[in-house]
C-alpha cells in the first residue's frame, strides 16, 4: 500500500521536473517550435488552440468553426487526454476569430444541454459583439443537443441550422437541490446552523424550504426567465407572447423548432458551412476549426489526478458541490 503511494509521488515529482524543463523549451525560438512541435505539446506557444484545416479554399479568406461541447460552466471539464468544455478558451477563440482579418465568418457548433446562466450570457454577448462590432456573421450549427443555455447562446446568431432530430428548446431556468433531511434524521445525523439572518441557509439540504424562501428563489428564477425571453424575442424577431408559449421548458426536435420559427433551416454542419460561404460571397473560402492544444501542464494535471483514487475524487467533488450554494441554470435535465 505505502509502496504504491511512494511510487505515485515519485512519478508526480518526475513529471513536475519535466514540466519545468518543458516550460524552458516552450520559451525557445519559434523556429525550433515549428521544427520539432515541442512547443505545441508542452504549451509553449502564446495560444491554447490551433487551426485545423477542414477545407482548402482559393486564398480569399476563411471561416472559423468553433466548437461548444459539454455543460456550459466556469471551470474546465474533461479527463485524461480528452478535451472537455473550457469557458475561458471558448471566449478566447471568439476573440481570435473576431480579430483575425482573414476570418470572414464564424460557425458555432453547439452540442450542449446548457449550463450556467452567467456563462451562457457571456457567450451570447460574445456572439453579438462579433457581429455588431466586427461585422462578421455568426451561424450556428446544432449537433445532437442544443437545449436551454445551448439555445440561449444560439439565439443572437444570424442563422441557426439543426439536424431534424436535434434536441433543442428547453427554454427556461432551473434551480434545484437535494433534500436529504429525513434520511439524515433516520441515521441520527443533525445539522447545527449559526446564521446571521433568516435566509442565510436558504435552500438547505437538511430541511424543508419555507414559503418565504420559495418566493425569494422563484423571483430569481422569474427574473432570469424574463431575460431568456428577451434574448429569444430580440434574436429571433418573435412576438413576446409567442415566446412565452414556446418557452415552457419542453424540448423540441430540429424539425419542430423550424416550424416554430426557432431555427432557420434543417441540415448538417457541412450544409451550414456551404450556406455561410455562399452568403458571404467572397469566393471559395477555406474552412478551419479551432482545436484545443493538450499542453504538457494539462497533461501533468490529469496524470496526477488519475493517481488519486476514485473514492477520494468522489469525496472532493461531493464536498465542492455541497458548498457551492444554489445556482441559476439554463440547463436541460432528463
Amino acid at each position: 500500500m505505502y509502496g504504491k503511494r511512494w511510487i505515485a509521488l515519485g512519478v508526480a515529482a518526475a513529471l513536475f521536473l519535466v514540466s519545468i524543463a518543458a516550460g524552458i523549451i516552450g520559451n525557445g525560438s519559434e523556429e525550433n517550435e515549428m521544427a520539432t512541435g515541442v512547443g505545441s505539446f508542452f504549451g509553449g506557444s502564446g495560444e491554447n488552440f490551433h487551426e485545423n484545416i477542414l477545407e482548402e479554399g482559393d486564398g480569399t479568406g476563411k471561416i472559423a468553426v468553433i466548437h461548444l461541447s459539454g455543460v456550459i460552466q466556469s471551470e474546465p471539464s474533461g479527463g485524461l487526454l480528452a478535451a472537455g468544455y473550457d469557458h475561458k478558451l471558448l471566449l478566447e477563440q471568439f476573440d481570435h476569430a473576431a480579430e483575425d482579418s482573414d476570418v470572414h465568418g464564424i460557425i458555432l457548433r453547439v452540442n450542449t444541454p446548457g449550463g450556467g446562466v452567467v456563462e451562457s450570457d457571456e457567450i451570447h454577448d460574445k456572439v453579438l459583439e462579433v457581429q455588431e462590432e466586427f461585422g462578421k456573421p455568426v451561424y450556428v450549427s446544432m449537433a445532437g443537443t442544443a437545449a436551454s443555455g445551448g439555445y440561449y447562446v444560439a439565439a443572437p446568431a444570424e442563422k441557426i441550422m439543426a439536424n431534424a432530430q436535434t434536441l433543442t428548446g428547453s427554454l427556461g431556468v432551473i434551480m434545484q437541490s437535494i433534500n436529504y433531511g429525513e434520511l439524515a434524521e433516520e441515521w441520527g445525523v443533525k445539522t447545527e446552523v449559526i446564521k446571521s439572518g433568516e435566509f442565510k441557509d436558504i435552500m438547505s439540504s437538511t430541511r424543508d424550504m419555507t414559503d418565504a424562501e420559495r418566493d425569494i428563489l422563484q423571483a430569481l428564477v422569474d427574473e432570469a426567465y424574463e431575460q431568456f425571453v428577451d434574448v429569444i424575442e430580440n434574436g429571433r424577431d418573435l412576438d413576446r407572447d409567442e415566446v412565452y408559449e414556446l418557452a415552457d421548458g419542453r424540448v423540441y426536435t430540429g424539425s419542430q423548432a423550424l416550424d416554430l420559427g426557432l431555427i432557420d433551416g434543417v441540415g448538417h454542419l457541412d450544409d451550414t458551412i456551404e450556406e455561410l460561404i455562399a452568403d458571404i460571397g467572397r469566393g471559395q473560402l477555406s474552412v478551419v476549426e479551432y482545436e484545443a492544444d493538450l499542453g504538457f501542464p494539462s497533461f501533468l494535471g490529469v496524470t496526477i489526478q488519475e493517481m488519486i483514487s476514485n473514492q477520494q475524487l468522489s469525496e472532493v467533488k461531493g464536498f465542492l458541490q455541497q458548498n457551492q450554494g444554489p445556482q441559476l441554470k439554463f440547463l436541460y435535465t432528463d
Side-chain angles (χ1 to χ4, degrees):
M1 181 69 176
Y2 289 105
K4 292 182 179 179
R5 288 179 178 270
W6 281 111
I7 292 174
L9 288 173
V11 172
L15 289 171
F16 177 71
L17 292 174
V18 173
S19 69
I20 295 176
I24 297 174
I25 294 174
N27 288 327
S29 67
E30 181 179 349
E31 292 79 10
N32 287 339
E33 181 176 325
M34 294 179 63
T36 64
V38 170
S40 176
F41 178 78
F42 288 111
S45 62
E47 293 171 346
N48 298 316
F49 60 93
H50 60 274
E51 291 184 358
N52 178 39
I53 300 176
L54 299 180
E55 296 179 16
E56 289 281 4
D58 57 11
T60 55
K62 58 189 176 183
I63 63 173
V65 178
I66 298 176
H67 293 274
L68 193 172
S69 299
V71 177
I72 301 171
Q73 56 190 8
S74 58
E75 295 301 318
S77 62
L80 184 61
L81 298 178
Y85 178 77
D86 189 325
H87 187 64
K88 181 174 181 291
L89 180 62
L90 181 74
L91 298 180
E92 289 176 353
Q93 290 174 342
F94 266 104
D95 289 336
H96 180 84
E99 295 169 2
D100 186 345
S101 59
D102 289 333
V103 173
H104 298 304
I106 298 171
I107 291 177
L108 178 61
R109 177 68 167 173
V110 178
N111 190 19
T112 176
V117 166
V118 172
E119 294 83 2
S120 298
D121 195 51
E122 288 177 342
I123 301 171
H124 167 276
D125 289 350
K126 190 64 68 173
V127 172
L128 281 179
E129 178 186 339
V130 169
Q131 295 183 133
E132 295 176 357
E133 296 186 19
F134 292 88
K136 298 183 179 183
V138 177
Y139 282 22
V140 166
S141 170
M142 293 181 170
T145 303
S148 203
Y151 188 83
Y152 187 98
V153 304
E158 188 168 311
K159 185 172 289 188
I160 304 174
M161 302 279 287
N163 184 278
Q165 297 305 315
T166 295
L167 277 182
T168 187
S170 187
L171 311 175
V173 190
I174 190 169
M175 177 184 283
Q176 59 185 359
S177 69
I178 298 175
N179 185 344
Y180 52 81
E182 291 185 12
L183 177 63
E185 183 177 349
E186 180 180 342
W187 286 89
V189 178
K190 295 182 179 180
T191 301
E192 301 292 349
V193 178
I194 309 298
K195 55 185 180 179
S196 59
E198 178 184 356
F199 304 111
K200 187 58 179 174
D201 64 338
I202 195 169
M203 217 169 184
S204 169
S205 295
T206 60
R207 62 173 177 80
D208 292 337
M209 187 180 298
T210 67
D211 291 340
E213 289 172 332
R214 190 174 297 278
D215 290 341
I216 291 172
L217 296 178
Q218 187 64 56
L220 297 179
V221 169
D222 291 345
E223 182 178 330
Y225 174 73
E226 290 299 324
Q227 179 177 322
F228 204 152
V229 172
D230 288 340
V231 164
I232 301 172
E233 180 184 17
N234 296 330
R236 298 302 303 170
D237 196 26
L238 291 171
D239 182 79
R240 195 170 188 85
D241 289 334
E242 288 183 274
V243 179
Y244 281 134
E245 290 184 11
L246 298 174
D248 60 1
R250 77 182 68 185
V251 292
Y252 304 103
T253 65
S255 296
Q256 292 171 335
L258 178 62
D259 292 339
L260 295 170
L262 291 172
I263 66 173
D264 300 291
V266 170
H268 303 293
L269 175 60
D270 290 343
D271 300 315
T272 310
I273 291 173
E274 290 179 6
E275 284 213 24
L276 179 54
I277 292 177
D279 291 346
I280 291 175
R282 296 187 182 179
Q284 187 58 40
L285 301 175
S286 298
V287 181
V288 300
E289 65 176 352
Y290 293 162
E291 284 189 341
D293 292 329
L294 174 62
F296 193 81
S298 298
F299 175 75
L300 174 65
V302 295
T303 301
I304 294 176
Q305 176 179 308
E306 292 295 319
M307 295 176 186
I308 306 175
S309 70
N310 291 334
Q311 180 63 32
Q312 289 171 311
L313 286 176
S314 177
E315 291 173 356
V316 172
K317 182 179 179 181
F319 176 82
L320 292 176
Q321 289 178 336
Q322 181 180 356
N323 288 274
Q324 64 184 1
Q327 292 182 318
L328 289 168
K329 293 183 179 181
F330 297 140
L331 182 66
Y332 166 57
T333 59
D334 50 20

